[in-house]
Amino acid sequence: MTEIRNYTMNFGPQHPAAHGVLRLVLEMDGEVVQRVDPHIGLLHRATEKLAETKPYNHSIGYMDRLDYLSMMCNEHGYVRAIEKLLGVEPPIRAQYIRVLFDEITRILNHLVFLGTHGLDIGAMTVFLYTFREREDLLDCYEAVSGARMHANYYRPGGVYRDLPDRMPLNEPSKWHGEKATAKRNANRLGSLLDFIEDFAERFPGCVDDYETLLTDNRIWKQRTVGIGVVSPERALQLGFTGPMLRGSGVEWDLRKKQPYEVYDRMNFDIPVGANGDSYDRYLVRVEEMRQSARIIKQCIRWLRDNPGTVMLGDHKITPPSREEMKEDMESLIHHFKLFSEGYSVPEGEVYAAIEAPKGEFGVYMISDGANKPYRVKIRPPAFVHLSSMDEMCRGHMLADVVAVIGTLDIVFGEVDR
Amino acid sequence: MLTNQSILHWVQDNLPEALVRHSEHCGQLTLEVNRDKLLDLCYQLRDNASTSFEQLIAVCGVDYSQYGYSEGGLPIQTFSGQQELSEYVPEAAQETAHQWEGPRFAVVYHLLSLIHNARLQLRAYPDEDSLIVSSVVEVWDSANWFEREAFDLYGIIFEGHPDLRRILTDYGFIGHPFRKDFPLVGHVEMRYDPEKGRVVYQPVTTQPRTLVPKVIRKEGYYDRNS
């Protein structure tokens, strides 16, 4: 009889299904996984240390680059920590805009999750559909901040500027003639809010399309049902948050339980799973997209009726307008001080958490009273989720490892920081 | 409803020897814990129905060695690369700054109770010579990678951790990069050596530079009338 030994296999770091630079050392018994040892840190940039050597406002851009699929939610967590330390609250309109863009970001993130998760386990088409809708949302990012991904839009004390009155239009090109361009521009003729509203109206129909492709698909179910099952008790032990926790049947959502900004005025439901497998987590995320569209509509209704300021008038922490600077010496001084030295934050420590699309994104910040944070600790949800990889994969086949990576919804920008 | 007060009373009643000090900031209670009693307290906080902190949200290390020091008056590397003495000496730099009196390193734990919808922060100081503190992996599994991270970045040793390896830094990395005395640019850089035909490490060629010095302003500095 031949002796059968466990086989050690290397997976990644350059593997299309590894969602970035993840290296897994797999111990296999035939095709069954015995042990998984994820090696991370290949994208480590010391974001926290960089943030500790720069004035507060300089690091907002780094936050975009953490979880680069849910950019504004990361900014939100960081900005909220500063605001809590300063003891300021942004104007109500800015809070609505933040909620609006948090939900847009949630849809953005879940669309990539859905597309790549499908792609990983063999469903090619859904990827093309989700990226079509994602394009519209990235246009919203662009219209409001000028950047399609790394927006740098949230600032301590509000948001950088108010929503624009018009959308940028597509221009005719070699590939799209006059007529086709006019058709593409049909929903861009109004303001940004009109465009988002049009999106929120048709988006639930798009989600229906994705669901016809996947939810009752036999192959999809074979690949996800019963894969990576996590019981509610284990999910709590492993520190799961967000859709990973809700997929295991624990009803916990910071937007409802510890509401921040204006989430307490929003009407939405929290979907939970029953079995805690990959399929349930998929269903939870799909339902979350529908709920996000609901929240977006409520925000739009309010934002239309209530114009107002979107940034605090305290020029110790927010820049004065260009116009004021031309007239007023003090504004000029404020501007100079703010962009050279920054502002000092009272001594203390704070932990601020928000419900990012992937789970609880927290920022723990210690200030010693200087213009730079003394210590910034980022609590990324995907880092914690990835640490459960070993437990979730044990006893599954090699092909299921890919399904588990997909369902974890990890992004290496925030795992490695 | 589990308030900060009731958590504090509960700890004072049940395990008074574990509690060294407590503070509250921005509505967030922090308990400073005697490191010998850390595990006892964690088990009790998790298992007792009146607290039931069933989730550990994060663990992080802190290095307090430069707490309360500003960089005003230090030589600043400018864009052009020459050293010049900054004229930027803040008047209120040192006198009001609160200097850190505790040990250099600390470990901070963030707990969350889903049942009571409450958060709690614990803070423990590792032994100052050996940097050893007990691991809480046996209480919450989520501590595993966070403790590896704190070991990697600060060199804090967690006693009882099943697999204390580096996690974020390179294979064979030397030093603990998040300590305040570790320069931001690091000590070594990597490049491809065409003669040797492989990647080599060499001392860094870039200079560390401070674009904006750290300044500590005294309380009320921003008030218009002061």
Side-chain angles (χ1 to χ4, degrees):
Chain A
M1 196 178 146
T2 50
E3 193 193 343
I4 298 171
R5 271 179 307 147
N6 275 358
Y7 188 77
T8 307
M9 205 177 84
N10 186 54
F11 179 105
Q14 302 292 337
H15 189 288
H19 285 213
V21 281
L22 168 66
R23 180 179 170 214
L24 297 175
V25 177
L26 302 165
E27 212 169 278
M28 313 284 300
D29 177 12
E31 216 184 322
V32 179
V33 178
Q34 298 292 324
R35 203 172 70 88
V36 184
D37 182 16
H39 287 205
I40 63 166
L42 290 108
L43 201 63
H44 181 57
R45 295 144 290 160
T47 302
E48 294 160 5
K49 193 169 174 95
L50 283 168
E52 287 162 21
T53 56
K54 289 180 171 55
Y56 283 90
N57 271 17
H58 291 200
S59 310
I60 302 172
Y62 285 127
M63 299 300 137
D64 289 317
R65 288 150 180 85
L66 285 171
D67 176 359
Y68 43 77
L69 297 178
S70 39
M71 296 69 78
M72 287 202 194
C73 285
N74 305 338
E75 289 174 22
H76 198 169
Y78 178 72
V79 162
R80 234 170 68 79
I82 300 174
E83 281 171 354
K84 268 173 106 171
L85 271 176
L86 285 168
V88 299
E89 197 171 78
I92 187 80
R93 187 174 166 87
Q95 296 188 21
Y96 269 97
I97 293 176
R98 283 183 184 181
V99 169
L100 172 71
F101 272 90
D102 273 11
E103 295 310 316
I104 286 178
T105 310
R106 196 176 312 279
I107 296 179
L108 269 176
N109 178 77
H110 286 355
L111 285 176
V112 177
F113 154 77
L114 197 57
T116 53
H117 189 27
L119 202 59
D120 284 348
I121 51 184
M124 179 82 200
T125 320
V126 67
F127 174 81
L128 301 171
Y129 280 96
T130 58
F131 271 63
R132 180 188 62 187
E133 268 73 62
R134 189 176 142 83
E135 200 63 23
D136 288 339
L137 293 175
L138 287 175
D139 285 347
C140 298
Y141 260 51
E142 188 179 1
V144 84
S145 73
R148 285 165 62 78
M149 284 186 81
H150 302 304
N152 206 351
Y153 179 55
Y154 294 4
R155 303 289 163 90
V159 294
Y160 169 60
R161 62 172 194 177
D162 207 346
L163 303 171
D165 292 330
R166 55 193 185 88
M167 281 294 286
L169 298 175
N170 293 308
E171 285 182 9
S173 65
K174 209 156 65 177
W175 299 278
H176 299 282
E178 295 283 346
K179 222 170 150 188
T181 310
K183 203 176 152 200
R184 288 172 77 208
N185 283 336
N187 55 2
R188 288 165 192 262
L189 299 172
S191 69
L192 173 65
L193 278 179
D194 295 330
F195 181 74
I196 301 176
E197 189 170 31
D198 171 69
F199 178 85
E201 290 297 337
R202 67 187 151 87
F203 185 65
C206 302
V207 180
D208 292 341
D209 288 350
Y210 315 146
E211 284 218 79
T212 39
L213 288 169
L214 294 177
T215 304
D216 293 322
N217 184 319
R218 189 159 49 91
I219 305 171
W220 180 258
K221 284 178 111 170
Q222 280 169 350
R223 290 302 305 272
T224 54
V225 174
I227 302 297
V229 181
V230 183
S231 67
E233 298 76 35
R234 288 305 297 160
L236 290 172
Q237 261 286 312
L238 292 165
F240 281 13
T241 47
M244 295 291 291
L245 185 60
R246 293 192 281 276
S248 294
V250 182
E251 195 196 340
W252 179 261
D253 190 321
L254 291 181
R255 293 176 293 169
K256 278 264 195 246
K257 306 287 178 180
Q258 302 177 354
Y260 49 94
E261 311 296 2
V262 288
Y263 273 114
D264 48 350
R265 304 185 187 184
M266 298 293 156
N267 203 355
F268 63 101
D269 301 319
I270 311 174
V272 287
N275 307 315
D277 57 6
S278 298
Y279 186 67
D280 277 15
R281 288 188 282 269
Y282 151 75
L283 291 177
V284 165
R285 287 184 174 118
V286 166
E287 184 56 30
E288 269 182 23
M289 290 201 282
R290 295 182 197 276
Q291 297 299 330
S292 291
R294 253 176 92 187
I295 299 175
I296 288 174
K297 280 186 215 164
Q298 295 167 45
C299 287
I300 291 172
R301 211 172 307 133
W302 191 93
L303 284 167
R304 274 193 204 288
D305 302 339
N306 297 277
T309 172
V310 293
M311 190 77 124
L312 287 179
D314 179 2
H315 294 320
K316 303 296 178 192
I317 54 169
T318 64
S321 74
R322 280 276 149 196
E323 245 167 78
E324 282 173 61
M325 280 165 56
K326 304 274 190 253
E327 304 277 316
D328 181 18
M329 187 66 200
E330 199 172 355
S331 294
L332 195 67
I333 297 169
H334 275 142
H335 183 271
F336 176 74
K337 277 303 246 186
L338 187 66
F339 285 97
S340 55
E341 181 186 304
Y343 47 86
S344 292
V345 166
E347 189 180 352
E349 55 181 44
V350 72
Y351 178 80
I354 62 145
E355 183 76 20
K358 293 183 168 65
E360 177 176 330
F361 180 87
V363 174
Y364 173 57
M365 199 180 270
I366 301 177
S367 165
D368 59 352
N371 57 342
K372 302 173 181 181
Y374 187 74
R375 170 80 169 112
V376 179
K377 160 75 186 171
I378 294 152
R379 190 267 180 203
F383 179 80
V384 188
H385 295 157
L386 186 63
S387 67
S388 69
M389 188 78 195
D390 183 39
E391 184 170 328
M392 287 176 82
C393 289
R394 254 176 220 210
H396 280 311
M397 307 289 262
L398 176 60
D400 297 330
V401 171
V402 172
V404 170
I405 294 175
T407 194
L408 286 173
D409 192 15
I410 44 177
V411 158
F412 275 84
E414 70 168 353
V415 173
D416 293 345
R417 279 160 289 152
Chain B
M1 181 67 195
L2 195 62
T3 59
N4 286 346
Q5 277 307 314
S6 53
I7 297 172
L8 186 62
H9 287 310
W10 184 88
V11 175
Q12 280 166 343
D13 291 343
N14 285 279
L15 211 64
E17 65 273 26
L19 188 68
V20 181
R21 211 173 291 137
H22 70 272
S23 61
E24 203 173 323
H25 200 266
C26 295
Q28 172 83 59
L29 179 68
T30 307
L31 303 181
E32 212 178 291
V33 181
N34 182 348
R35 67 172 170 274
D36 301 325
K37 295 283 171 209
L38 176 68
L39 266 182
D40 286 351
L41 181 69
C42 288
Y43 270 118
Q44 292 219 18
L45 284 172
R46 185 193 70 179
D47 295 333
N48 198 302
S50 55
T51 50
S52 61
F53 285 98
E54 60 273 83
Q55 262 199 325
L56 177 73
I57 288 294
V59 179
C60 74
V62 185
D63 174 5
Y64 278 105
S65 59
Q66 285 172 17
Y67 190 89
Y69 287 97
S70 63
E71 292 161 351
L74 291 177
I76 295 172
Q77 191 79 16
T78 57
F79 276 115
S80 54
Q82 80 238 36
Q83 294 267 334
E84 61 178 48
L85 249 183
S86 163
E87 291 169 30
Y88 191 84
V89 184
E91 65 280 15
Q94 291 300 332
E95 72 251 34
T96 53
H98 169 254
Q99 305 280 324
W100 186 254
E101 280 143 14
R104 178 174 173 192
F105 290 101
V107 184
V108 182
Y109 304 82
H110 301 271
L111 312 184
L112 172 68
S113 165
L114 276 69
I115 295 172
H116 302 295
N117 194 3
R119 287 182 191 276
L120 175 64
Q121 235 165 259
L122 303 180
R123 170 194 294 270
Y125 295 105
D127 184 72
E128 277 189 78
D129 298 322
S130 59
L131 294 184
I132 291 176
V133 68
S134 30
S135 163
V136 295
V137 174
E138 52 185 282
V139 192
W140 296 285
D141 286 334
S142 53
N144 190 327
W145 277 23
F146 281 119
E147 291 188 344
R148 278 178 68 185
E149 186 190 311
F151 164 71
D152 188 1
L153 303 178
Y154 288 96
I156 297 164
I157 294 161
F158 293 89
E159 203 172 21
H161 191 285
D163 183 24
L164 200 62
R165 282 180 292 153
R166 286 189 179 272
I167 185 165
L168 288 177
T169 50
D170 199 0
Y171 304 112
F173 189 86
I174 298 165
H176 300 289
F178 273 37
R179 289 188 176 181
K180 289 285 177 181
D181 49 10
F182 192 96
L184 188 64
V185 293
H187 293 303
V188 287
E189 63 186 26
M190 209 165 84
R191 69 176 173 89
Y192 178 75
D193 189 328
E195 282 165 22
K196 290 181 183 150
R198 64 181 172 84
V199 169
V200 293
Y201 287 89
Q202 62 186 37
V204 279
T205 50
T206 47
Q207 292 289 316
R209 68 178 183 199
T210 308
L211 297 180
V212 182
K214 179 180 167 189
V215 178
I216 296 179
R217 297 292 185 193
K218 60 181 159 194
E219 202 102 342
Y221 173 80
Y222 293 124
D223 296 343
R224 231 158 246 257
N225 301 321
S226 65

